[in-house]
Amino acid sequence: MPETPDPPRSEPSSAEAEVFARWEDAGVFSSDASAAAGETFSIAIPPPNVTGALHMGHALNGSIQDALIRLNRMRGKNVRWTVGTDHAGIATQTKVEQALVAEGTSREEVGREAFLERTQAWRQQYGGTIIGQFRRLGCSADYAHERFTMDEGYHEAVLKVFVALYEQGLIYRDTYLVNWDPGSRSAISDLEVEDREETDTLFEIAYPLTTPVGDLTEVVVATVRPETMLGDVAVAVNPQDERFAHLIGSTVTLPFVGRELPIIGDDYVKTDFGTGCLKITPAHDPNDFEIGNRHGLEPLNVIGEDGRITGGYAPQFEGLRTAEARSAVVDALRESGALRGEEPYVHTVPFSQRSGERIEPLISLQWFMRMEELAKPAADVVRDGRVRIHPESQSRRYLTWLDEIRPWVLSRQLWWGHQIPVWYREDPSAPGGTETYCGTTAPEGEGWERDPDVLDTWFSSALWPFATLGWPEETPELQAFYPTSVLSTARDILFLWVARMVMTGLRFAGDVPFTDVYCHSVIQSPDGRRMSKSLGTGIDPLDLIDGGPRPAVFAKKGKNGKLEDPGQFPAYGADAVRFGLLAMSSTQDVRFSEEKIAQGKQLTTKLGNAVRFAALRLQENPGGAGEGVTGATLPTRLEDRWIVSRTERIARETASRIDEFDFAKAALGLYDFVYGELCDWYLELVKGRDAATDADLARVLGWALRRTLQIAHPIIPFVTEEAWGGLPGAGDGSSSDADGLLAVSRLPEPDDALLSTDAEERLGRVIDVIATVRSWRNGANVPPGPVLPVRLEADGYDDESLALIARLARLEPTADAGDAVPVAIPGGQVAILAGEHVDPEAERARVEKRRAEVEKQIASTEARLSNEKFVSRAPAEIIASERAKVEALREELRTL
């Protein structure tokens, strides 16, 4: 592109804020539920926690959803992007409890009602932070209809669903072993547990036989949790184990407690693990719980909900936390001589995703939901294609989980959340002496007491696609926008949320909640670790947008060996961040790349400069520039016909890639087109033509830029909207009316008449020749300015193509004979005649030297690839890189 002065620009933050305000003032984001509004496209945003701030996953998913929303809005569809937040029971309650502790009090001291008032006040003050950050990213959601999973209408929907499932027999109350989170003091579901590999100590402990059996006076059990021995009710051996089968029916005496424990036979016991004797603690181990049920053993709770040893079994350990109790029990065993051995043991340990604390299996009275009846229809709609999950591998995970589904523990021992709509009162005539009532409103009469627990946050979130549209009422919004079109989410909540939305949508809204589910990548830190502020690997998207400190992971070692200050991110702006995140996205986990963000900044700068440059030229013929191009008004010149075809093709490809969730190819393909074909080639090809008198130039340049801005808008909305107003035929977008804004401009229907394979191939060869000659000049140290005489010894070039080649490659065709340097081009070669700047002998020497270098490099790389040891040990990406290197070198050798 010709060099032009770059006019002063405002900072991204202020310019983007002005553009966003124009969109809002014009009502661009509003949805219309009337029947006359036409074809709809809707997305319900995965509601972020009300406690949250924008992180990289939010920014990526917001960019993905907004690209889909903006594209379909410009197709003329009636778009609804539902936005809102989740009440986040455990996270929000923890925040408020921390504030109370800092004030010297607690939730128990202030009471439930005052605590809930305090939590609502906290939400009002801090809960809108992340929604404001989505706006900063440019997300064009329907903010006028923002929802919250505990607003009045939503709460009514949650109660209605609970009561219905209770009446259908799917929700029930039972005493069962659950995952107890000591950090939140609540039960949590299996899906909220994450397994970590931990190194513990495997202890061998002697349990004396109550009556010796022959010469045997004791059995030795192996355990990593000696503190739970206080709750042992049996010792199990495998009935096929010849060492211990004869002990079945005998008893041992439990150290410290003195309780007699039966020795039982169970096939679960592994003969090759530990000592072959397994202590059975049904109240504190899921496998022991199942064994206890099989053998009718009564479980004993020896660990309380606070994670401390309870009383009644071994007073010397009462009140100790489990870690403290473990040390105390081991010390006592060692002192008594009952400790037979100890060794390191690596195993998988469950931790709470919520609090980060180690899970304590406890037997507890909780509310559960039977899942099989709901799971089958949810699996069927994926199997028959009514719901498509992308990529396909996630469909298989989804179906496997549903096929093996277990009951869902619904209740949480919290105060913040949807309180379970069940009441109890004493009634001697009722089963168990207690009358139970379940309903959406409180029961009539005296003596009723409501269940204190609240529902799992994921229960209310499962209703999100239809409850946000007014269900259970038959609202116009529900009729217009349900089912939604797409759900974009992370794969880690495929079971926690996605599957459950499918279940409730089918059960209560009568249809699937969405037709497509896109599982996007997880963006890791640059070194491959998870993003985390505490690890120094977390990146705040707002620091990328507005400029802020780079985290420690970016620090590099200085000459003194110490890590240097990683410095600040430039203020890249929202467009660059959106582009970069989409460009690095994938269906696999990816490492964060600041280079991709910088590439987005280059794109926005390049496109903005190109539009401003072109607008100055088009001012001389604004009428012509606004006319546009159709199949009936095609230009005649090769470069014009080429850019029309390329623009039409990239428009189709970009839209198709967004539709197919291939956002990286959409973003990078757009970059290549704008940077390479439009700016670097077309604007150079038309240099010297006058838009004031050249009608085709005015029409084509104006049309191509408008179409490019439309193509790019879903990915980089701010710069494209800002540039749109300065182009003839685009509308200035300055009024509060949506007319004239790019965001609501209608995308043209695809027009095959605009495509020309012939023009693309012809000008493609022209570009190849120009690039080849320029590359040769650079390698041969020939200045770019002088016009060089050449003989064209190639087929397939018409006069129009030759004229473009001669002008841009600075060549002068001639029929003169004489010594020359051959340069290979498609269809033959260009012979560049000897002269002031061209020495054929020197060039031949240069080529021979380079050929020898390339042959040596090929031999070296092929030898490495033929080395079995190297191929078997090197990472796959290294092998692929080496093979690609060989191919590139062979191609260079052919050219030489």
Side-chain angles (χ1 to χ4, degrees):
M1 191 179 73
E3 294 296 329
T4 57
D6 192 10
R9 299 293 310 279
S10 56
E11 287 299 310
S13 57
S14 59
E16 291 170 352
E18 291 170 6
V19 171
F20 196 89
R22 295 216 309 269
W23 289 330
E24 280 209 298
D25 291 344
V28 168
F29 307 155
S30 299
S31 56
D32 183 356
S34 67
E39 184 181 357
T40 62
F41 182 90
S42 61
I43 293 177
I45 194 172
N49 286 355
V50 71
T51 58
L54 194 70
H55 60 58
M56 204 57 71
H58 292 135
L60 170 61
N61 202 7
S63 302
I64 286 170
Q65 293 172 85
D66 199 42
L68 290 163
I69 285 288
R70 288 182 181 273
L71 175 64
N72 282 282
R73 183 184 288 121
M74 295 172 74
R75 284 171 168 160
K77 294 182 183 180
N78 180 21
V79 166
R80 165 74 172 241
W81 186 6
T82 300
V83 69
T85 51
D86 189 280
H87 65 275
I90 292 175
T92 307
Q93 179 157 318
T94 300
K95 291 279 188 183
V96 178
E97 286 198 71
Q98 289 170 347
L100 291 173
V101 169
E103 296 169 12
T105 185
S106 67
R107 70 176 168 116
E108 290 79 9
E109 288 184 21
V110 302
R112 185 168 192 146
E113 186 174 343
F115 177 80
L116 292 178
E117 290 175 359
R118 180 69 178 264
T119 310
Q120 283 285 8
W122 185 94
R123 183 187 80 84
Q124 293 295 334
Q125 184 174 359
Y126 299 106
T129 298
I130 196 164
I131 299 300
Q133 293 169 333
F134 273 118
R135 296 163 70 94
R136 181 68 191 87
L137 188 64
C139 295
S140 58
D142 191 350
Y143 297 103
H145 293 98
E146 182 182 336
R147 297 302 302 268
F148 175 53
T149 55
M150 277 181 61
D151 63 35
E152 184 178 352
Y154 202 101
H155 179 63
E156 291 175 4
V158 172
L159 297 187
K160 186 175 180 67
V161 168
F162 182 94
V163 172
L165 292 169
Y166 176 86
E167 292 173 346
Q168 293 161 16
L170 296 183
I171 288 180
Y172 62 97
R173 199 177 189 217
D174 195 8
T175 299
Y176 201 80
L177 191 75
V178 299
N179 303 304
W180 187 263
D181 176 6
S184 64
R185 299 279 293 272
S186 175
I188 61 174
S189 74
D190 293 341
L191 294 177
E192 295 168 294
V193 175
E194 63 179 29
D195 291 330
R196 301 181 196 168
E197 192 173 87
E198 296 283 314
T199 301
D200 284 324
T201 301
L202 186 66
F203 298 95
E204 295 185 356
I205 305 168
Y207 284 19
L209 285 160
T210 308
T211 301
V213 178
D215 295 334
L216 197 61
T217 60
E218 66 183 28
V219 296
V220 178
V221 300
T223 180
V224 294
R225 300 202 65 193
E227 71 278 11
T228 64
M229 66 182 288
L230 306 176
D232 285 358
V233 297
V235 170
V237 299
N238 192 303
Q240 307 304 317
D241 191 337
E242 295 178 356
R243 296 171 298 171
F244 305 117
H246 67 290
L247 297 178
I248 296 173
S250 302
T251 63
V252 296
T253 302
L254 183 63
F256 309 133
V257 180
R259 188 165 57 244
E260 283 194 25
L261 311 180
I263 298 177
I264 61 175
D266 196 282
D267 291 334
Y268 172 80
V269 182
K270 297 179 176 64
T271 59
D272 58 351
F273 173 78
T275 63
C277 298
L278 182 68
K279 59 185 284 301
I280 304 301
T281 320
H284 301 292
D285 184 275
N287 297 314
D288 291 3
F289 181 79
E290 297 297 334
I291 293 173
N293 280 344
R294 285 198 291 273
H295 293 271
L297 301 172
E298 190 69 27
L300 298 176
N301 270 324
V302 295
I303 299 173
E305 294 179 354
D306 58 357
R308 296 178 182 272
I309 301 298
T310 58
Y313 302 104
Q316 65 269 43
F317 306 119
E318 184 179 340
L320 295 179
R321 290 193 175 278
T322 52
E324 299 168 338
R326 182 176 306 172
S327 298
V329 168
V330 169
D331 288 344
L333 288 169
R334 188 176 286 114
E335 185 176 337
S336 68
L339 190 64
R340 292 289 181 264
E342 49 189 300
E343 62 182 61
Y345 178 60
V346 178
H347 65 139
T348 300
V349 177
F351 284 81
S352 167
Q353 290 180 341
R354 299 294 189 178
S355 70
E357 291 205 20
R358 194 163 176 160
I359 289 297
E360 192 60 67
L362 290 183
I363 290 180
S364 180
L365 181 61
Q366 301 286 343
W367 285 95
F368 295 87
M369 188 157 104
R370 295 184 178 90
M371 303 301 291
E372 293 85 352
E373 187 176 324
L374 297 170
K376 185 181 183 306
D380 289 344
V381 295
V382 170
R383 287 192 172 101
D384 65 21
R386 288 175 62 193
V387 173
R388 298 176 293 271
I389 302 178
H390 314 266
E392 177 61 30
S393 59
Q394 298 305 317
S395 292
R396 294 192 291 273
R397 287 183 64 231
Y398 173 96
L399 292 171
T400 299
W401 180 74
L402 287 177
D403 290 342
E404 301 171 357
I405 201 162
R406 297 175 58 190
W408 176 10
V409 56
L410 295 178
S411 44
R412 297 292 180 270
Q413 287 62 58
L414 304 170
W415 286 355
W416 175 247
H418 295 278
Q419 192 171 355
I420 289 175
V422 175
W423 287 258
Y424 314 100
R425 70 177 175 185
E426 293 183 7
D427 182 353
S429 65
T434 301
E435 182 182 2
T436 301
Y437 167 87
C438 178
T440 57
T441 58
E444 297 179 357
E446 301 295 326
W448 291 102
E449 191 170 315
R450 189 169 183 175
D451 193 303
D453 291 350
V454 302
L455 287 166
D456 180 5
T457 296
W458 293 109
F459 184 90
S460 52
S461 298
L463 283 54
W464 185 252
F466 57 90
T468 53
L469 297 173
W471 187 93
E473 301 299 324
E474 282 291 334
T475 64
E477 288 77 14
L478 188 65
Q479 293 177 348
F481 300 113
Y482 188 89
T484 64
S485 307
V486 173
L487 172 74
S488 176
T489 187
R491 66 174 182 271
D492 59 352
I493 55 175
L494 190 62
F495 313 141
L496 277 166
W497 190 46
V498 177
R500 290 164 176 171
M501 283 191 289
V502 176
M503 294 177 192
T504 60
L506 289 168
R507 190 81 167 197
F508 295 100
D511 204 346
V512 296
F514 27 69
T515 53
D516 287 274
V517 178
Y518 173 63
C519 297
H520 62 70
S521 54
V522 173
I523 299 182
Q524 302 168 332
S525 74
D527 62 1
R529 290 182 290 169
R530 67 182 180 89
M531 286 202 176
S532 163
K533 286 187 177 180
S534 61
L535 294 175
T537 57
I539 301 170
D540 185 339
L542 295 184
D543 287 339
L544 290 167
I545 293 172
D546 296 321
R550 285 189 174 92
V553 71
F554 284 87
K556 297 179 180 178
K557 285 186 178 180
K559 293 180 179 179
N560 60 3
K562 295 182 179 180
L563 290 176
E564 297 178 337
D565 184 346
Q568 299 275 118
F569 288 119
Y572 285 113
D575 279 339
V577 172
R578 291 167 60 112
F579 173 91
L581 293 175
L582 293 174
M584 69 182 83
S585 69
S586 163
T587 54
Q588 304 295 321
D589 292 350
V590 294
R591 295 188 180 191
F592 174 80
S593 166
E594 188 178 353
E595 289 76 16
K596 288 287 194 295
I597 307 292
Q599 191 176 5
K601 184 63 177 177
Q602 293 165 1
L603 173 64
T604 59
T605 301
K606 187 85 165 181
L607 184 56
N609 285 344
V611 171
R612 285 192 296 278
F613 161 74
L616 290 173
R617 298 188 66 179
L618 295 175
Q619 285 175 0
E620 301 167 3
N621 189 355
E627 289 179 9
V629 177
T630 67
T633 60
L634 290 172
T636 57
R637 296 179 70 147
L638 176 59
E639 64 267 33
D640 293 339
R641 192 73 186 85
W642 170 78
I643 197 61
V644 167
S645 184
R646 290 301 304 142
T647 304
E648 175 70 9
R649 199 175 300 282
I650 198 69
R652 297 184 186 195
E653 289 175 357
T654 304
S656 176
R657 286 164 176 170
I658 291 174
D659 286 335
E660 295 166 2
F661 312 113
D662 195 347
F663 299 99
K665 281 187 178 178
L668 294 172
L670 175 69
Y671 179 93
D672 290 343
F673 171 74
V674 170
Y675 230 86
E677 294 175 304
L678 178 64
C679 294
D680 285 354
W681 285 111
Y682 183 67
L683 292 184
E684 186 175 7
L685 286 164
V686 299
K687 188 192 292 185
R689 293 170 60 184
D690 186 356
T693 57
D694 189 332
D696 270 0
L697 174 61
R699 279 192 315 112
V700 171
L701 182 56
W703 176 88
L705 288 171
R706 288 194 301 275
R707 290 290 284 124
T708 300
L709 292 177
Q710 287 183 309
I711 296 164
H713 182 73
I715 296 172
I716 48 174
F718 287 110
V719 70
T720 51
E721 187 70 77
E722 192 177 11
W724 179 258
L727 281 176
D732 61 16
S734 59
S735 70
S736 61
D737 187 354
D739 291 342
L741 287 171
L742 171 60
V744 291
S745 66
R746 186 66 178 266
L747 288 174
E749 292 296 322
D751 185 353
D752 288 345
L754 300 180
L755 298 176
S756 173
T757 303
D758 175 69
E760 290 187 38
E761 290 177 350
R762 287 166 61 202
L763 198 76
R765 287 196 299 272
V766 168
I767 289 172
D768 285 345
V769 173
I770 295 167
T772 299
V773 171
R774 287 175 175 175
S775 176
W776 172 82
R777 282 185 188 253
N778 184 58
N781 293 317
V782 175
V787 175
L788 305 177
V790 299
R791 291 192 303 271
L792 180 66
E793 300 170 353
D795 299 324
Y797 297 91
D798 54 52
D799 291 343
E800 190 175 12
S801 297
L802 292 174
L804 289 171
I805 291 170
R807 178 162 63 85
L808 271 73
R810 307 286 292 166
L811 303 176
E812 183 180 355
T814 179
D816 292 353
D819 201 3
V821 174
V823 175
I825 62 171
Q829 66 181 18
V830 170
I832 303 176
L833 299 183
E836 178 184 357
H837 301 287
V838 179
D839 181 346
E841 286 300 321
E843 178 61 11
R844 279 189 278 272
R846 182 186 73 84
V847 169
E848 285 302 320
K849 180 182 178 183
R850 178 58 188 161
R851 181 155 44 206
E853 291 172 352
V854 170
E855 288 173 342
K856 184 177 180 181
Q857 289 176 6
I858 290 173
S860 172
T861 308
E862 287 181 336
R864 193 156 49 246
L865 288 171
S866 64
N867 185 322
E868 291 184 9
K869 187 178 291 186
F870 169 76
V871 172
S872 64
R873 293 180 179 179
E877 58 268 23
I878 297 295
I879 301 297
S881 174
E882 291 293 290
R883 286 174 177 156
K885 177 182 173 182
V886 167
E887 285 305 310
L889 288 168
R890 285 173 179 156
E891 182 59 34
E892 184 181 357
L893 187 61
R894 281 191 290 270
T895 301
L896 289 167

